[in-house]
Amino acid sequence: MLSAKSLFQEILDDDDSFALFCSIAAGGESQGGWENARIAALVPESQRGLAPKITRHGADEDKHGRIFEALMRKRGVRPVPVPPETDYTVLLERSGIGLAHDRLRRDEPLTVQDIVVYLAHSRVTEQRASEQMELLRKHFADHPELGRAVTMISRDEDDHLAYCHEELLRLAHAGHGRVIQRTLRACALTEIRVHRDVSLAVMARMGDILGWSRARGALLAAGIHAVYVYERLGGWRRMVSLRMPERRNALGGPASSASEFA
């Protein structure tokens, strides 16, 4: 029976597919760490209170990248190059989502509008990350190799999502509500398309590594397209709603250590 758990289990059991999975994840997390570090350094004076939280966000992302690298070391496999068509963060940037890297490399303070764009982009992508890590935690929290890692990362992603809700609501109350909703909608509609394309590319690569039949590949591709249709017809709305989280100030402290995975 083809299920999310059996699919992930097959990927995790093979060294080559495991290396690709972890390399893609590590690359995306490390990129997120760099982006947040630059944003924290360029926060406008009126939003300086956000800088420690953005720094913490970036530190968490860096930590996640190190965790995935540690998982590969423990398995005894080497990181592999990330195929361009599977690079979620790069493809989002090329689609105009978030703050362009050229902008972040300049030592010019960001604007409040830039902070809105950053938080809206993060709110959408952290929704995806939170859901994906919750799925992994549901099926692999007790896994001897992955359990602690997926539990820690899932908890962090939930905190990141809570932080985005809280800060966007703060800015909405300050008069930026319409811009926030417009930006969230544009981010969500682009993200679901990029996620579909990346998912198709990742599954194609995994299929080549694991020797999946054409029929199985077609079935998985059909499932990915079905998810996209659902999201395009209305599922994207879960990515743009805002509500005050139960846990306030979720990024108000230092990042937890990843030393146990080293």
Side-chain angles (χ1 to χ4, degrees):
M1 179 179 178
L2 188 60
S3 66
K5 183 176 182 179
S6 65
L7 180 65
F8 276 117
Q9 189 66 63
E10 188 174 354
I11 291 170
L12 298 176
D13 286 345
D14 181 89
D15 284 349
D16 291 337
S17 56
F18 181 80
L20 178 59
F21 170 79
C22 288
S23 295
I24 291 172
E29 297 285 1
S30 297
Q31 186 64 55
W34 177 85
E35 290 173 358
N36 278 278
R38 290 301 301 154
I39 292 167
L42 301 174
V43 168
E45 192 60 37
S46 65
Q47 302 295 318
R48 289 309 300 173
L50 267 180
K53 298 179 182 181
I54 300 172
T55 298
R56 159 73 187 277
H57 191 178
D60 281 345
E61 303 287 3
D62 282 335
K63 176 184 69 180
H64 299 167
R66 294 194 302 273
I67 288 173
F68 283 112
E69 290 168 357
L71 290 172
M72 286 188 279
R73 285 197 303 273
K74 288 185 176 181
R75 175 73 76 91
V77 299
R78 293 180 176 275
V80 297
V82 175
E85 70 273 17
T86 70
D87 198 326
Y88 175 76
T89 54
V90 168
L91 292 174
L92 282 175
E93 187 204 1
R94 289 179 181 172
S95 297
I97 297 302
L99 297 175
H101 288 182
D102 286 346
R103 175 71 179 88
L104 295 179
R105 290 189 183 98
R106 299 199 300 269
D107 289 324
E108 300 174 7
L110 300 173
T111 65
V112 175
Q113 176 70 27
D114 290 329
I115 296 300
V116 168
V117 169
Y118 151 68
L119 285 169
H121 165 253
S122 295
R123 188 263 176 270
V124 169
T125 55
E126 293 297 342
Q127 178 79 38
R128 182 74 70 187
S130 178
E131 291 171 353
Q132 290 181 331
M133 292 311 302
E134 174 60 26
L135 179 64
L136 286 175
R137 182 168 62 176
K138 174 183 176 181
H139 294 305
F140 297 103
D142 296 327
H143 191 280
E145 193 174 11
L146 290 179
R148 288 184 301 166
V150 298
T151 299
M152 175 180 282
I153 295 173
S154 180
R155 183 172 60 245
D156 287 347
E157 301 296 6
D158 290 345
D159 284 348
H160 299 168
L161 185 57
Y163 147 77
C164 292
H165 276 274
E166 185 174 2
E167 296 303 332
L168 283 169
L169 284 170
R170 178 181 62 81
L171 287 168
H173 292 153
H176 302 282
R178 289 188 178 181
V179 174
I180 288 171
Q181 283 301 320
R182 186 165 61 246
T183 307
L184 282 170
R185 185 180 189 278
C187 285
L189 291 176
T190 300
E191 192 279 342
I192 63 172
R193 175 179 53 78
V194 171
H195 180 259
R196 175 203 61 192
D197 294 345
V198 168
S199 297
L200 289 169
V202 170
M203 287 300 104
R205 292 278 180 165
M206 294 299 180
D208 289 341
I209 291 171
L210 297 170
W212 291 341
S213 66
R214 291 181 63 183
R216 188 177 192 193
L219 180 61
L220 287 169
I224 292 168
H225 283 293
V227 169
Y228 172 73
V229 169
Y230 157 74
E231 293 193 326
R232 188 64 182 84
L233 291 176
W236 61 272
R237 296 183 188 279
R238 77 190 190 284
M239 295 178 159
V240 305
S241 62
L242 293 175
R243 64 184 183 279
M244 189 58 68
E246 291 184 9
R247 183 176 182 192
R248 306 287 293 273
N249 197 29
L251 298 188
S256 58
S257 172
S259 58
E260 64 185 291
F261 300 99

